[in-house]
Amino acid sequence: MKQIRQYLLGLVGAVLLALGTANAQESRPNSIESMNVVQQGSVLNVKLTFKDPLQALPPAFSVAKPARIAFDFSNTTNGLGKTNQAYNEGDLKSANIVQAEDRTRVVLNLNKAMTYEATIDGNSLLLALVPSATPAGLAPVEHFAQARPSAMSNSIRDISFRRGKDGEGRITVDLTDANAGIDIKQQGSNLVVDFAKVTLPEALRKRLDVTDFATPVLTVTTVEKGPNTRMTITPRGLWEHNAYQSDNQFVIEVKPIIENPNKLVQGSRGGYQGEKLSLNFQNVDVRRLLQVIGEFTGMNMVVSDSVGGSITLILKDVPWDQALDIIMQQKGLDMRKNGNVILIAPREEIATKEKLEFESKAQIGDLEPLQTESFQMNYIKAKDMQSLLTDPKQPLLSKRGSANTEDRSNILFVRDTPSRLEEVRAMIAKVDIPSRQVMIEARIVEAGDSFAKNLGVRMLWNQTDRSGAVTVGGGQNFSGQLNSASLVNLPATPRSGTPGAMSFTLFNIAQTQFLNLEVSALEADGRGKVISSPRVMTANQVEAIIEQGVEIPYQQATSSGATSVSFRKANLSLKVMPQITPDGRISMKLDVNKDTPNTRLSTGAGVAIDTKHVKTEVLIDNGGTVVIGGIYTQEVRNNTTRIPFFGDLPYIGFLFKNREWIDDKTELLVFVTPRIVAESLSVR
């Protein structure tokens, strides 16, 4: 018995010692000893080393904007000796290690949203971070179309890109055979389309830079990969894709998604988009119902302690976000979404909390220390940026902020709180950019087609007394004095040129009387074309002027009674102000003036000026040609001058007439072709 008693006492003592050791170890706080970051391909590895091994994975949450992942370690201290650590490794910018009493939070500041996989390895916590668009394993592949047997070899005939009416990028691929296998998958932030057993001509093996179309798509690269063809689409921002095929034409659309932080399910479609569920509860507790929805969706849901009561709910095949909205409307609740964490509380409580936060931020802004930062302006003047920041109607600086400039070096100095300086930095990054250039080619064509015909006669009666020598008609000499009398004098009178003349002379045998008939006529047909091609390059939304011509002097009276010489322009001028639209087209304000001196029409004050002026505003595609204006003039005249009665006689009446036919046509056409100058060269 004594031995048994001693054995039991020893066993109890060992158990108590073990329990005491475990409790001591449990009560002793853990510590973060080191933090290492290594980039391996697309995976970012983060290693946290602790003094003691972790018993379980820490709770964590992520924030989409700004991109952050936070880990909470209970009963843990910060043994690194610093709270901020800059890494700039891959997509990891920095890390914040903050200790509050016996709890430490590690916040990873990222360039973009990422997902993670956490594992415990001894005294270390291993984190594998990958972009959120790419899972930790292989990217999911969407088998859009299965390859079907075909007698002919398949090839891509053409690849085109267009902008849709809703701002989506539409890539169209023309195939020679519709029986092609097509796979679509996401690789990182890119969208990859594989065409199975499809060849690609040499002319289509290129990279398309489609940034100017203002769609989510930046580039489209198509290359051959073995017996297949791969198309890599590089988008930006938030996007979703849609693909369809019609006969030999395959179309893939990349649509933009406007992010709404308060929206439960992101997407471009309106309304509710969550996965459907069915609920049938009678007088169930609201907190329990919210827990069911949170477990169904996998969302992190935080419910305030003031949420209570019960509800009866019968829903069948309803999107879960709509079901949640119904519950909150019935119980007077509201929510705030931060990343994948949803906070649910009464409306009054959330409003009060947000009001207190805003007031606290305002007080912090009034007490926060000021900092001074300099910004080197590259393309915009520092004075203009200063005016933008200090605009009294809408100031961008705080009440204590100020901005000064140094004109010689074009540097802007801003003194304000760190948060306002961050906003100024982001604004300068958007504003201080080079202006896009536009080359404008104009072709001004002035065409003329003129026709004129003149016909006239002149009849003379001549008599001689044979006292001297006389030359009549074709050069025959006569003696005597010639006395002439005009019977008909209606010769041809053209606007320009000398008419041709044909004369007949009749005389008696004694050569004392002569009858001279002269017919004059002229037919003129002229075609002319004047082409002017002004060309000018200007920046976006900047007016450009180009002129060529002469200045005509004329005398002008002054107030003192004397005369002075003034000049008036007779120029070919082109004034244009282009504006590049977000969809890559060009809107232009055009003012075309073509003045020419008219030497045929002169006044006592000087030479007259023929003016042709066109002023308009047009919208045209990049590289397209538009025809504007068009001043068309036609002058048709038929004039007849005749002697009464004799001019109306048949057959011989033409001897007593003068006729003039005129048909003149002139037209002014203006052709304009704008082209956006590429900002950079693309790899073709």
Side-chain angles (χ1 to χ4, degrees):
M1 286 298 291
K2 186 176 181 181
Q3 293 179 352
I4 296 176
R5 188 181 299 146
Q6 290 178 353
Y7 175 77
L8 292 175
L9 291 175
L11 182 61
V12 172
V15 172
L16 293 176
L17 180 61
L19 293 175
T21 305
N23 291 332
Q25 291 180 355
E26 186 177 355
S27 61
R28 185 179 61 185
N30 203 348
S31 176
I32 302 176
E33 300 296 329
S34 63
M35 182 176 178
N36 299 316
V37 180
V38 177
Q39 179 76 32
Q40 293 181 348
S42 61
V43 181
L44 182 65
N45 296 311
V46 180
K47 182 179 180 181
L48 292 170
T49 304
F50 296 83
K51 184 178 180 181
D52 298 323
L54 296 177
Q55 302 300 322
L57 293 176
F61 66 92
S62 61
V63 181
K65 191 173 182 183
R68 294 174 180 172
I69 301 178
F71 300 89
D72 287 332
F73 301 94
S74 60
N75 196 26
T76 303
T77 61
N78 181 13
L80 300 178
K82 49 189 174 182
T83 59
N84 297 310
Q85 178 66 45
Y87 290 99
N88 295 320
E89 184 77 20
D91 291 323
L92 179 60
K93 296 188 295 184
S94 61
N96 298 331
I97 303 95
V98 182
Q99 179 181 347
E101 296 180 354
D102 60 344
R103 184 172 62 92
T104 300
R105 171 172 291 183
V106 178
V107 181
L108 305 180
N109 301 312
L110 308 173
N111 292 322
K112 58 183 179 181
M114 304 182 75
T115 60
Y116 71 94
E117 181 179 353
T119 57
I120 298 176
D121 185 13
N123 291 12
S124 302
L125 175 65
L126 304 180
L127 303 174
L129 283 74
V130 296
S132 57
T134 304
L138 295 176
V141 179
E142 176 187 353
H143 298 286
F144 180 83
Q146 299 292 336
R148 290 168 290 179
S150 178
M152 60 181 297
S153 61
N154 205 347
S155 176
I156 295 179
R157 291 185 297 188
D158 189 22
I159 300 174
S160 61
F161 183 89
R162 295 185 61 187
R163 172 186 167 91
K165 61 179 182 179
D166 297 327
E168 72 273 12
R170 183 177 300 157
I171 301 103
T172 304
V173 181
D174 290 333
L175 303 169
T176 59
D177 189 6
N179 302 322
I182 303 175
D183 294 336
I184 305 174
K185 63 181 177 182
Q186 289 185 228
Q187 285 188 353
S189 59
N190 298 333
L191 186 64
V192 178
V193 184
D194 289 326
F195 300 87
K197 297 182 180 180
V198 176
T199 60
L200 183 67
E202 186 70 28
L204 298 179
R205 301 175 187 175
K206 57 186 178 180
R207 176 176 177 263
L208 301 178
D209 188 353
V210 293
T211 309
D212 294 337
F213 287 87
T215 68
V217 183
L218 298 177
T219 59
V220 180
T221 306
T222 311
V223 296
E224 272 194 344
K225 194 172 182 180
N228 307 327
T229 296
R230 170 166 290 188
M231 175 182 289
T232 304
I233 303 171
T234 304
R236 61 181 171 185
L238 297 176
W239 54 271
E240 61 182 6
H241 74 277
N242 180 33
Y244 59 90
Q245 184 174 354
S246 176
D247 295 332
N248 295 1
Q249 194 174 75
F250 171 75
V251 180
I252 183 169
E253 296 179 347
V254 181
K255 303 178 181 180
I257 297 178
I258 300 175
E259 184 180 12
N260 185 359
N262 296 322
K263 194 174 181 181
L264 296 175
V265 181
Q266 299 293 335
S268 60
R269 302 190 307 269
Y272 301 105
Q273 306 177 39
E275 187 178 354
K276 294 183 178 180
L277 54 73
S278 298
L279 300 174
N280 191 346
F281 292 99
Q282 299 290 332
N283 197 23
V284 65
D285 185 64
V286 175
R287 301 178 65 88
R288 175 56 183 165
L289 188 56
L290 294 175
Q291 181 183 355
V292 171
I293 296 177
E295 293 176 352
F296 175 82
T297 61
M299 301 283 291
N300 298 319
M301 191 173 295
V302 180
V303 182
S304 176
D305 295 336
S306 56
V307 176
S310 59
I311 187 174
T312 298
L313 197 64
I314 302 176
L315 301 174
K316 186 177 180 180
D317 293 335
V318 176
W320 71 265
D321 48 347
Q322 183 180 6
L324 181 60
D325 191 25
I326 293 173
I327 297 171
M328 292 191 299
Q329 290 180 6
Q330 292 295 322
K331 305 304 294 184
L333 305 176
D334 202 355
M335 75 162 190
R336 292 295 183 267
K337 184 173 178 289
N338 189 358
N340 62 346
V341 179
I342 301 175
L343 172 64
I344 298 177
R347 294 191 181 97
E348 296 79 6
E349 182 178 337
I350 292 182
T352 303
K353 181 180 178 181
E354 291 181 344
K355 182 181 178 182
L356 294 176
E357 290 180 355
F358 293 150
E359 292 177 352
S360 176
K361 290 181 180 180
Q363 294 177 1
I364 292 175
D366 295 338
L367 302 176
E368 193 175 3
L370 301 180
Q371 298 181 3
T372 303
E373 188 171 348
S374 61
F375 301 92
Q376 177 66 59
M377 301 292 102
N378 299 317
Y379 305 100
I380 190 175
K381 293 184 179 179
K383 283 285 187 182
D384 297 339
M385 194 65 201
Q386 181 190 20
S387 302
L388 180 62
L389 295 176
T390 59
D391 187 3
K393 296 182 179 179
Q394 192 175 3
L396 299 177
L397 301 179
S398 65
K399 297 182 293 184
R400 300 185 297 158
S402 62
N404 297 302
T405 61
E406 206 284 316
D407 297 336
R408 183 179 60 85
S409 57
N410 201 31
I411 295 179
L412 175 68
F413 298 93
V414 181
R415 182 173 177 82
D416 212 326
T417 60
S419 58
R420 291 298 180 99
L421 290 178
E422 186 68 25
E423 296 178 0
V424 172
R425 190 180 299 107
M427 176 173 289
I428 292 177
K430 295 180 180 180
V431 175
D432 191 23
I433 58 176
S435 299
R436 303 177 68 180
Q437 305 291 312
V438 181
M439 171 65 75
I440 300 171
E441 300 178 1
R443 194 173 182 88
I444 305 172
V445 180
E446 185 178 9
D449 187 359
S450 62
F451 175 80
K453 184 169 69 172
N454 300 83
L455 180 63
V457 297
R458 186 169 60 177
M459 185 181 300
L460 300 177
W461 169 259
N462 304 299
Q463 187 176 4
T464 181
D465 56 4
R466 304 296 300 253
S467 60
V470 179
T471 303
V472 181
Q476 188 172 357
N477 295 325
F478 300 91
S479 300
Q481 183 68 34
L482 183 65
N483 298 320
S484 302
S486 297
L487 298 179
V488 180
N489 188 18
L490 295 173
T493 56
R495 295 176 296 178
S496 62
T498 303
M502 183 176 63
S503 61
F504 300 92
T505 303
L506 300 176
F507 55 90
N508 59 2
I509 299 177
Q511 299 180 355
T512 59
Q513 296 178 350
F514 300 86
L515 181 64
N516 188 15
L517 177 64
E518 182 182 88
V519 179
S520 57
L522 176 66
E523 183 174 329
D525 190 2
R527 290 180 175 86
K529 184 186 299 183
V530 180
I531 301 177
S532 305
S533 298
R535 179 183 302 177
V536 64
M537 179 181 288
T538 181
N540 184 28
Q541 300 184 5
V542 177
E543 186 182 45
I545 302 176
I546 184 172
E547 291 184 341
Q548 181 186 10
V550 297
E551 291 188 355
I552 300 175
Y554 64 96
Q555 291 185 350
Q556 183 180 7
T558 62
S559 58
S560 62
T563 59
S564 62
V565 178
S566 300
F567 293 88
R568 182 181 177 184
K569 293 183 179 181
N571 297 338
L572 167 66
S573 65
L574 172 65
K575 299 180 181 179
V576 58
M577 185 174 73
Q579 179 180 355
I580 303 175
T581 61
D583 58 352
R585 296 193 290 178
I586 304 173
S587 175
M588 296 182 296
K589 294 182 180 179
L590 291 166
D591 191 350
V592 182
N593 197 73
K594 191 176 189 307
D595 297 339
T596 55
N598 190 349
T599 57
R600 296 177 300 176
L601 181 62
S602 61
T603 63
V607 180
I609 297 176
D610 294 335
T611 301
K612 298 178 178 65
H613 187 199
V614 177
K615 185 176 182 180
T616 183
E617 182 174 355
V618 296
L619 179 64
I620 187 174
D621 294 334
N622 180 25
T625 301
V626 62
V627 182
I628 63 171
I631 302 176
Y632 179 80
T633 305
Q634 183 177 9
E635 181 183 2
V636 179
R637 288 191 296 169
N638 189 357
N639 301 324
T640 302
T641 305
R642 59 187 175 184
I643 298 175
F645 179 74
F646 295 99
D648 297 331
L649 296 176
Y651 301 109
I652 64 173
F654 77 94
L655 298 176
F656 304 93
K657 295 181 182 179
N658 179 292
R659 301 191 65 181
E660 182 183 31
W661 297 269
I662 296 176
D663 188 1
D664 293 343
K665 304 174 184 177
T666 60
E667 187 173 8
L668 177 67
L669 297 175
V670 181
F671 303 84
V672 181
T673 303
R675 291 184 177 89
I676 300 175
V677 180
E679 299 177 358
S680 59
L681 298 177
S682 302
V683 180
R684 302 294 185 187

